[in-house]
Every structure is written in structure tokens, then in C-alpha cells.
Amino acid sequence: MFKARSLAVIAAAILSVQAQNSTASTAGLTATSVTAMRTPAGLPYSNPYNESPLPYTWPGSPTSGQVNPNPEPSAPFSRGGPAASKYHGPAFLRVGESGLAPSLSQHETNGDSTLGTLDQPYLPVEGLNNSPNRSPQLLRRADPDKACGTLPETGVTRTYDFRVSYQTISPDGVKKNGLVINEAFPGPLIEANWGDWIQVQVTNLLPDEGTSIHWHGLLQANTMFYDGVPSVSQCPIAPGRSLTYLFRADIFGSTWYHSHYSAQYAGGALGPLVIYGPNTVDYDIDIGPVMLSDHYHRDYFSLVEVTMQGNNPPADNNLINGKMNFPCQNTSSPCQPNAGISKFRFQSGAKHRLRLINPSARIIEKFHIDGHNFTVIANDFVPVNPYTTDVVTLGVGQRTDVIVEGVGKPDEAFWMRADADRCGGTTGVSPNAVAAIYYESANTTMEPRTNVTASQADLSRCSNDDLAITTAFCPETPDTNPSTTETITIENKSNGTTFLWFMNNSSFRGNYNLPTLPLVKAGNFTFEPEWNVYNFDSNQTVRVIFQNFGDGLHPMHLHGHNFNVLAEGVGDWDGTIVNPNNTQRRDVQLVRGSVNGAPGFIVLQWKQDNPGVWPLHCHIAWHVSNGLYVNVLERGDDIQQIPFPPDVMQTCRDWANFTGTVVPNQIDSGV
């Protein structure tokens, strides 16, 4: 194992993969004169919420002999908190006030982002039109045959330049240190056509911690080294350094990008990504990203600290496209009432496409619009046979594209809602976000007067839609006799001093200086136990049965693949495959919690057609910080035949030089 070998020798093996004749030193990896950093330096604002007590402690510290934690407490406050009588309506307007004119500027709440404002333009239904070899796949009219076709060659590269930094933001009126991309929260929209290449230079302007960007749901075929996960596909990007990611828009639909370094994305380092492809249904207007996310008044590093001390933090608020009001009289810390909510423009009689994304740290979102129903056309990156619903359930990392018919009159306004009060994870003060939808001639400062029309049964269900109704638009029949099957248990239990998450009795912790993928490229197939590497070698198909013995749900995400979801439920799987000839496929699926000792389960299966080291993990930030993560090693021999770009290895050199003088405070799993 590595502890018995020279760290410098292993580091040299990683760095030798770079272009020949490099003379860069790896001495930084063995330096002993270092300075440990306790909290991020250079924060622009001293946030009083970082010192505020949490409303409850969970899971706490284990008592002598205790194996599993007690159940998590329910939300300690009712909606509106102790000061609920001071406010009215779902947007928390103060009694005596009316109208939705914001009290803060967009720059004060969200920096340079235009999401959530009426200045945000519609997206092009036909895709981007500035390609010199524009693919005929991208047409306004639906063309189902092309949607199931092959990846087109467009000859186009879309280029972006990202800067990751700290900046004060006030998304709900509470000022905090946000981790932002290009001075914006959420970060800028990435757009491409199916088949394009996407190039993003990411520069780390954080003073004393690394970063990385993961492109959620992209398959990264032959570019697995740009998947953006530190300790796995790369070393972190060191402060003051850059890494240029280059990958194919190899699948189409709606997604997001985010930092995969510790829980940085919970501080705001995220944004939407849209890849235009063949339409499977006709529609008139592309509203664009609708991001539904929990929000915390503490800064991200403070959240990680309390998590690793046994205090999983509940969300303080819920946002739509980065905006919501907060009932400020519930806090004595700085808070601006009626900071501003998101607004959208609909047109009467038109069909609108909404690209729903849940980039939360923790909560399950229940999305609905008063007086409107949805036609679901895609789950994650996978088009589905359309079905109707009045509520869309999104676990962390999940996306759903819907068509909404404009049934309102030209002068009407309606509430858009994202609820988190049913499935846990909030303080209860402000669990439900709202945004205002204005039809074409409506007054855009008026408060909608509509009421909830979604069914209470759908709002109360804490699981994804029934697999029986979610079939893929492009059929794929999974192999009933997979090459290998692995059962993985999920447990929250004591390691003797604290509660951690375990998968098959192992809790993950990565090594930023020794990323797994470059080690495999260098010919190393021996891994530390805490890296949780499952080497499925060259097996053609893999089936994984997750058994969740914990109380809560987990959104399980696999990088590099869309998996078939064969079954889900509670108890022991009886072998029945739902829709065996055409299952739901996606890249995130909720597994239910244990009920009376019986585990929740999901059964996932995928083809091993994409060499790489692919993370498979719960997408709740606090859970993955606590180790709920494994690595899937796929076709290691093929990885050794794929050229790695020199900049991936240069990033490890830069990180080695940085950690030669500074020890980053990796207090969690690292991812």
C-alpha cells in the first residue's frame, strides 16, 4: 500500500504520464516546512451567521456503544418562524406592504447574474445558429428519429473563461460570502449544440484553497481526465493557477456544472449548462434554466466544519434561480426584507419549455405552478415518452424538462413554487420558494393572487415518479444477465468518535495529491482502502443493488454513464424489472430510506463502454463530505492506451508546489 512506499516515487509515476522530456520537480510533495490553513483566507465579509448556533444538533456524537444515530429531528419551526405574524403571502412581504418591487439591486443579491430577472432572454428553440457547419439535427419542429440518432460532427468549439472567487452576495437579503463564478451567482450559462466541443478555462482566484469544476451528466468519452473531480480525475487547481477543460457536448438536454472540491458548490460555485439537440415534442418558447436550490446563511466552509463535527446543517431558505425573500424579523443578524424574488414571462396560448435543475446541497424539491400542469419530456439527459403531472420531484443533481401550456390570460400572474417542507432538511422558517410568472401584459410588480392547485398526494410523496410511467424515448433493453452484480449497503454509523456514512463498511476519503485516474494511467492498480475503488475491469455490463439502511433518501449519481433503473422500493428486491424492454435511464436516482428496519433499494445497471474512474455517490453535499462515495474503475487497460493531455499533469505539479508550503485543511472526504 502507499503508506509503505515513497510518496515522491508515486507522484513521479503520475507526473511521468505528461509529455516526454519534462523536467518539472516533484519536491513539493515531500516538503515538511508547511503552514496549515484553518479557514479560507481573504474573505470579504465577516459573516455573523458562521458563529450562530444551529437550531438542532444531528446526528451529534455517538455515546458509548452507540452504533447508529437517532432519527433526525423534524423542522423546529413552522413556516414564517416565530415572526410569522409580521408577514403575509408566500413571498414574505411585510404586513402593510404589497407589490414585488425588490429592495436590493440584482448586483447586491446575485452579482453579475441575470437569472431570475425579466432581462434574462429566452433560449433559442432551434439551438445556436452561429455554427459554420450547423447540424440539420437542430430544427424547431420535433424530429423523433434524429433524437435517437448518432452524435453529429459540427466542427465547432464553444469557448468560455471562468474565474472562481469569493464575493459578498445576498440572494435572500442575508449577506454572506458567496463562492461565485465570474462574479455571478448562479454562474454564467454554458450553451452548445449537440456534437460541439466545449472549452472552459477555469482560473482559481481563491487565496488558499483548491477548486475544480465538474460538468454534471456529461459522458466524457475519451476525456475522462476532464471530469473535474479532485483526488479522482485530477489534482485540484491551485490558487492563482488555471486548467482548461475540453470535452464534447456528447449528449443533449439540460444540466449544470459545479465545483467538486469539498462542498464548495454549496457556497455558490455552480451554474446552468444547456446542450441543444433534436426536439422530441413541439414547443414555442424556451424559458431556459429554472434552478431550484436550498440556501444557507453560513459560508460554505463553516457548513463543512459543523457537518464534520456531527451537525448536519438544515437549510435556511429555498431559492428559484438564486432568489427568494426571507422573513428577517426571525434573526438579529443583518437581513434586508423583500430583497427580491425571481420573475418569468409567459405568453398566452404558447407552449413553454422549462429546464428544471436541482443544484441543492441537500433538499428534495417539489416543483409546481398554480393553475398549470406539466408535460414531462426528459429526466436528466434522457428524453422520455411524454407524460403529464402537476408536480415534479427533483432530488439533488436531478433535472427534468417540462412543457407548460400558457393557459393564463394576458394580464394574469401566477405563483411558481418549489417546496421543501415535505421531505425534510430545512429549519422550517422558509422551506418553500416562490417566483412570479407574468403573462404578456401583466403588471410585473404585482403580487400574484393564485392558490396551490397541485394534489396534496403528489406534494407529499418523497420519491421520484413511478418507474412504470417513466420510459425512455429512445428504447434500450437492458441485459437480463449482467456480467457482474454488486450489492452495496448504505449505513450511517459510528467509527468510534463520530458518525460517518459507509458503503459496504467503508467511508471514502480522497487524496488530492494522488488522483486515482492518473495512477491507473501510470499502471498502478493498488489503491488505499478509503478510496473505495470497485474494479469492474472489462465486464460488459454491471448491475449494482443499493440497500439503504439509513432513515433518509439519497440521490445516487454515477459519472460517465446514464444507467438503467431496473427497480426501486423498500425491502428485498424480488428480481422484477419495471418495463424490462425499456426502462427509465438517467444519471441520478433517489433511493428511499429504511422503513422499520427494511432497507430502501434501487437497482441500477449500465454498459461498460466508457473507460475511466467514475464516481458513484450520494449527491447530498453533507453525505458525500461524510464518505458516502465509491469509485468505479472501468476498463483500466484501455485507460492506459488513451493519451492524457499535459495540462492535467501540470495541474498536479502546481498543486504539489502549493502544498509544499501550505497544507489545505481537508476536513472532509475532499469531494
Side-chain angles (χ1 to χ4, degrees):
M1 297 305 246
F2 291 127
K3 293 173 183 173
R5 300 169 59 188
S6 166
L7 188 62
V9 170
I10 300 170
I14 293 178
L15 299 180
S16 69
V17 180
Q18 57 99 36
Q20 292 182 354
N21 303 320
S22 170
T23 58
S25 171
T26 63
L29 285 172
T30 56
T32 57
S33 177
V34 297
T35 301
M37 305 304 297
R38 294 184 174 228
T39 58
L43 297 180
Y45 173 62
S46 179
N47 186 351
Y49 287 93
N50 290 342
E51 307 302 324
S52 299
L54 295 174
Y56 59 81
T57 297
W58 186 85
S61 298
T63 59
S64 178
Q66 184 180 10
V67 176
N68 303 113
N70 297 322
E72 182 172 10
S74 57
F77 300 108
S78 58
R79 184 186 171 278
S85 63
K86 306 291 185 181
Y87 299 89
H88 71 91
F92 292 119
L93 299 182
R94 288 181 291 190
V95 171
E97 293 182 343
S98 62
L100 295 177
S103 64
L104 294 179
S105 69
Q106 178 69 5
H107 184 77
E108 288 174 300
T109 56
N110 299 89
D112 290 342
S113 175
T114 59
L115 281 178
T117 71
L118 296 175
D119 294 329
Q120 177 68 20
Y122 295 145
L123 300 188
V125 175
E126 309 89 346
L128 302 177
N129 60 11
N130 59 339
S131 302
N133 299 313
R134 187 160 180 263
S135 170
Q137 274 86 348
L138 302 179
L139 300 172
R140 185 180 186 91
R141 185 174 298 279
D143 193 332
D145 291 337
K146 289 176 179 174
C148 302
T150 57
L151 180 68
E153 294 285 347
T154 65
V156 174
T157 299
R158 312 283 177 181
T159 60
Y160 295 86
D161 188 357
F162 280 4
R163 304 172 302 279
V164 182
S165 64
Y166 280 109
Q167 177 175 306
T168 55
I169 55 174
S170 305
D172 64 350
V174 175
K175 187 177 180 180
K176 65 174 293 185
N177 295 297
L179 264 168
V180 296
I181 297 176
N182 291 8
E183 297 78 49
F185 169 71
L189 170 66
I190 290 179
E191 298 175 272
N193 287 338
W194 187 34
D196 291 349
W197 286 84
I198 300 173
Q199 178 177 296
V200 188
Q201 177 177 278
V202 177
T203 300
N204 181 7
L205 299 182
L206 305 174
D208 68 347
E209 57 187 309
T211 196
S212 71
I213 300 293
H214 168 60
W215 322 96
H216 185 103
L218 274 294
L219 301 178
Q220 298 289 358
N222 295 314
T223 55
M224 69 290 288
F225 33 75
Y226 287 139
D227 193 43
V229 184
S231 80
V232 181
S233 57
Q234 65 170 88
C235 296
I237 304 170
R241 308 299 295 178
S242 300
L243 174 62
T244 299
Y245 296 86
L246 178 64
F247 51 90
R248 195 83 181 273
D250 51 14
I251 197 166
F252 59 88
S254 309
T255 192
W256 59 305
Y257 59 85
H258 61 89
S259 172
H260 223 301
Y261 182 101
S262 184
Q264 283 182 346
Y265 88 83
L270 57 87
L273 194 161
V274 171
I275 299 174
Y276 302 103
N279 294 325
T280 57
V281 300
D282 291 322
Y283 57 93
D284 305 301
I285 295 171
D286 192 331
I287 294 293
V290 181
M291 307 188 82
L292 319 170
S293 59
D294 56 15
H295 183 64
Y296 301 80
H297 294 157
R298 286 173 174 254
D299 299 337
Y300 109 85
F301 195 82
S302 172
L303 294 168
V304 177
E305 284 184 314
V306 296
T307 295
M308 301 312 295
Q309 294 165 1
N311 299 309
N312 282 205
D316 295 302
N317 209 341
N318 200 8
L319 311 178
I320 296 178
N321 275 355
K323 302 177 74 65
M324 180 55 186
N325 295 330
F326 188 75
C328 290
Q329 290 195 38
N330 288 287
T331 176
S332 59
S333 295
C335 180
Q336 178 64 40
N338 197 20
I341 67 170
S342 287
K343 297 179 179 181
F344 298 88
R345 177 76 77 181
F346 274 25
Q347 292 185 16
S348 298
K351 293 182 178 180
H352 308 78
R353 180 174 185 164
L354 278 63
R355 301 172 179 269
L356 310 178
I357 304 167
N358 182 353
S360 296
R362 179 178 183 181
I363 64 174
I364 294 172
E365 298 279 7
K366 309 289 291 188
F367 180 81
H368 53 118
I369 298 175
D370 295 353
H372 295 69
N373 290 325
F374 310 130
T375 300
V376 176
I377 62 170
N379 283 326
D380 296 347
F381 264 136
V382 179
V384 299
N385 289 310
Y387 63 94
T388 59
T389 185
D390 57 2
V391 177
V392 173
T393 303
L394 291 173
V396 180
Q398 291 187 317
R399 296 89 65 208
T400 291
D401 286 37
V402 298
I403 305 299
V404 184
E405 294 200 26
V407 297
K409 298 176 182 177
D411 62 348
E412 287 189 308
F414 293 81
W415 286 121
M416 173 190 290
R417 304 176 189 264
D419 295 356
D421 60 346
R422 309 300 181 98
C423 303
T426 78
T427 66
V429 173
S430 183
N432 301 334
V434 292
I437 294 174
Y438 297 107
Y439 278 85
E440 54 265 39
S441 61
N443 178 346
T444 57
T445 63
M446 73 175 181
E447 184 182 3
R449 300 298 181 185
T450 57
N451 296 311
V452 173
T453 54
S455 73
Q456 292 303 308
D458 288 342
L459 288 171
S460 299
R461 187 184 65 250
C462 295
S463 60
N464 288 133
D465 288 344
D466 191 335
L467 293 178
I469 64 172
T470 54
T471 55
F473 185 86
C474 302
E476 179 183 295
T477 301
D479 190 347
T480 56
N481 296 296
S483 306
T484 187
T485 298
E486 185 81 33
T487 298
I488 298 178
T489 58
I490 298 172
E491 295 176 282
N492 189 8
K493 59 184 182 180
S494 171
N495 70 348
T497 58
T498 190
F499 289 110
L500 296 175
W501 284 99
F502 291 81
M503 301 179 78
N504 279 356
N505 294 311
S506 181
S507 189
F508 174 81
R509 181 177 173 86
N511 187 325
Y512 286 152
N513 290 82
L514 296 174
T516 311
L517 178 67
L519 281 173
V520 173
K521 172 65 175 174
N524 186 88
F525 288 85
T526 303
F527 311 104
E528 292 289 350
E530 65 267 23
W531 296 354
N532 285 5
V533 178
Y534 286 71
N535 186 356
F536 292 124
D537 200 22
S538 58
N539 285 291
Q540 291 186 337
T541 53
V542 173
R543 177 179 293 175
V544 172
I545 304 170
F546 282 109
Q547 294 180 324
N548 177 20
F549 288 92
D551 289 332
L553 295 94
H554 301 287
M556 302 306 298
H557 173 49
L558 174 63
H559 294 216
H561 290 276
N562 286 306
F563 45 65
N564 297 88
V565 185
L566 306 188
E568 69 90 27
V570 176
D572 294 323
W573 179 46
D574 64 5
T576 300
I577 297 175
V578 182
N579 295 321
N581 295 322
N582 183 22
T583 68
Q584 165 77 82
R585 297 197 308 277
R586 62 188 315 166
D587 58 64
V588 184
Q589 177 68 28
L590 285 169
V591 57
R592 304 189 200 202
S594 173
V595 178
N596 297 324
F601 72 85
I602 54 173
V603 185
L604 312 179
Q605 185 168 308
W606 63 90
K607 298 177 182 177
Q608 290 228 122
D609 55 5
N610 193 13
V613 179
W614 302 118
L616 174 56
H617 62 92
C618 173
H619 218 300
I620 294 175
W622 321 137
H623 292 179
V624 73
S625 283
N626 266 304
L628 216 170
Y629 175 109
V630 299
N631 281 311
V632 171
L633 172 53
E634 179 175 345
R635 293 168 54 178
D637 290 344
D638 291 341
I639 291 172
Q640 296 181 72
Q641 307 307 313
I642 296 173
F644 277 38
D647 60 354
V648 173
M649 303 310 155
Q650 182 60 47
T651 299
C652 281
R653 253 184 234 98
D654 294 339
W655 185 252
N657 291 333
F658 171 65
T659 56
T661 57
V662 175
V663 175
N665 197 10
Q666 184 189 340
I667 60 175
D668 67 352
S669 70
V671 296

